[in-house]
Amino acid sequence: MAYLGNPGNTIAALQKYNFNFQKKYGQNFLIDTHVLDKIIRESKIDKDDFVLEIGPGIGTMTQYLCESAGRVVAVEIDKNLIPILHETLKEYDNVEIINEDILKLDLMSLIRQNGIQKPMKVVANLPYYITTPIIMGLLEKHMPIESMTVMVQKEVAERMQAGPGIKDYGALSLAVQYYTRPQIVANVPPNCFMPRPKVGSAVIRLTRHKKPPVETKDEQLMFRLIRASFNQRRKTLANGLSNAGNLHFTKEQIQRAILELGEPAAVRGETLTLEQFARLTDILKQILDE
Ligand code: SAM
């Protein structure tokens, strides 16, 4: 079977099956072997690894993954792609193709059924319309994942990597950085895909922390505080938190906590580090328990 990662072979595979791209599924297939090589290198997979690929498309990257990894599970929502995948991957006996929506897949039972012991590696050229729910779903559910090497919209990759004081810094940056160490490893222009997306792309590797970099007594409360702080970016932290519907602190309690944190009363959430959010959480929790 010819490798698919170039325009000619991709077009041939699409024509053979009379495949029509479905915009609603964010289908932009990779047609650049350099980018494919780079993703495989940066994902650091070897024959001991179990890899989850989200959205294999016609199997372009899956072929590379099958060559490098021990086992590959590829989850594709579009049923029209399944017969194509069966053909393009027929030479590999270490791949399982699942026709399912990744957001609905019971990953834990899949891991159990396959008797997988080692944390898996996720490698994907993600459908951009659901990048955040996919990544946050995998992280928040504490799935046994060692790393995720994923192609996302460039802007989203920058948000994941941003720190305080940078315009892109927000709830996604803090959540991703609580669970992982993000590192953008490649920028990928639109002409590496078929059809070309309207936005630039980047490959980001998220390496899971063995232990979160900060400790808090209440992880859920911390994320509620973070979300509330960035929901109302223009407001001060005190106003943002006291207006949030799902937090039940008085304005006085919040002001006291900010003071205890050692920050000025008019501080904005976007200047706080992850560590400060963790400390603020613990201070507010203690105030509640008084
Ligand atoms: N991996 C292929 C490549 O690099 O050429 C295709 C990547 S394309 C950007 C995204 C793929 O994700 C498409 O094949 C699309 O059908 C699939 N997809 C979209 N939504 C999905 C979902 N909810 N669950 C699983 N796959 C999905």
Side-chain angles (χ1 to χ4, degrees):
M1 155 62 54
Y3 282 120
L4 293 162
N6 66 55
N9 291 350
T10 296
I11 290 170
L14 297 173
Q15 281 178 346
K16 181 168 176 196
Y17 284 89
N18 216 354
F19 177 76
N20 290 317
F21 287 100
Q22 297 239 39
K23 217 169 165 195
K24 67 171 178 185
Y25 289 146
Q27 293 175 340
N28 300 95
F29 298 166
L30 267 168
I31 49 165
D32 187 304
T33 51
H34 299 292
V35 175
L36 286 153
D37 284 333
K38 176 86 177 156
I39 296 174
I40 299 299
R41 236 183 0 261
E42 292 294 347
S43 63
K44 300 179 182 172
I45 44 180
D46 60 37
K47 283 287 170 193
D48 283 343
D49 283 317
F50 168 72
V51 171
L52 169 68
E53 185 189 11
I54 299 159
I58 56 171
T60 309
M61 193 156 70
T62 328
Q63 293 181 332
Y64 283 68
L65 292 170
C66 290
E67 303 263 339
S68 320
R71 293 275 304 281
V72 179
V73 169
V75 181
E76 174 55 60
I77 196 168
D78 186 351
K79 66 174 184 340
N80 294 328
L81 286 167
I82 305 303
I84 307 184
L85 284 165
H86 281 296
E87 173 159 351
T88 58
L89 301 173
K90 66 173 185 261
E91 279 166 29
Y92 300 101
D93 59 5
N94 59 343
V95 61
E96 184 183 346
I97 300 157
I98 299 180
N99 184 201
E100 177 65 278
D101 177 347
I102 187 66
L103 297 177
K104 297 194 182 135
L105 182 78
D106 182 352
L107 197 53
M108 248 1 251
S109 34
L110 184 87
I111 290 170
R112 256 181 255 120
Q113 277 161 21
N114 281 274
I116 292 148
Q117 309 286 343
K118 209 180 149 200
M120 61 191 172
K121 290 182 177 162
V122 175
V123 186
N125 170 15
L126 288 176
Y128 294 173
Y129 73 106
I130 44 168
T131 301
T132 306
I134 292 176
I135 293 180
M136 289 318 301
L138 294 173
L139 294 175
E140 282 170 350
K141 285 182 207 139
H142 296 271
M143 288 295 159
I145 290 171
E146 189 178 326
S147 66
M148 295 193 216
T149 307
V150 286
M151 177 89 71
V152 298
Q153 196 176 323
K154 186 164 182 275
E155 207 182 39
V156 176
E158 283 163 358
R159 258 193 271 152
M160 291 189 215
Q161 217 186 230
I166 294 175
K167 144 176 114 17
D168 296 319
Y169 185 54
L172 181 66
S173 328
L174 285 155
V176 164
Q177 291 166 31
Y178 179 73
Y179 294 109
T180 74
R181 182 168 56 82
Q183 199 181 356
I184 294 177
V185 293
N187 282 317
V188 183
N191 62 3
C192 296
F193 301 87
M194 184 184 290
R196 293 182 184 194
K198 288 201 180 69
V199 292
S201 303
V203 179
I204 190 164
R205 187 179 56 229
L206 309 173
T207 312
R208 183 110 196 184
H209 294 304
K210 295 223 157 51
K211 185 166 141 289
V214 300
E215 270 181 39
T216 168
K217 295 195 172 74
D218 191 336
E219 202 176 288
Q220 280 190 0
L221 175 60
M222 181 176 78
F223 283 116
R224 270 190 279 140
L225 291 173
I226 289 173
R227 261 179 246 119
S229 312
F230 288 96
N231 265 346
Q232 304 183 320
R233 243 174 208 278
R234 301 192 159 276
K235 296 216 162 109
T236 62
L237 180 64
N239 282 336
L241 297 186
S242 41
N243 290 339
N246 62 346
L247 293 170
H248 304 289
F249 297 103
T250 65
K251 188 142 188 206
E252 290 65 39
Q253 287 174 320
I254 292 165
Q255 283 166 335
R256 215 177 104 201
I258 293 174
L259 199 71
E260 245 182 81
L261 188 67
E263 288 295 316
V267 68
R268 287 179 193 279
E270 65 202 19
T271 67
L272 297 193
T273 62
L274 178 58
E275 198 185 349
Q276 286 175 307
F277 273 111
R279 268 182 40 225
L280 182 69
T281 306
D282 291 354
I283 296 169
L284 280 168
K285 198 163 166 60
Q286 197 173 351
I287 290 177
L288 269 190
D289 293 345
E290 275 172 4

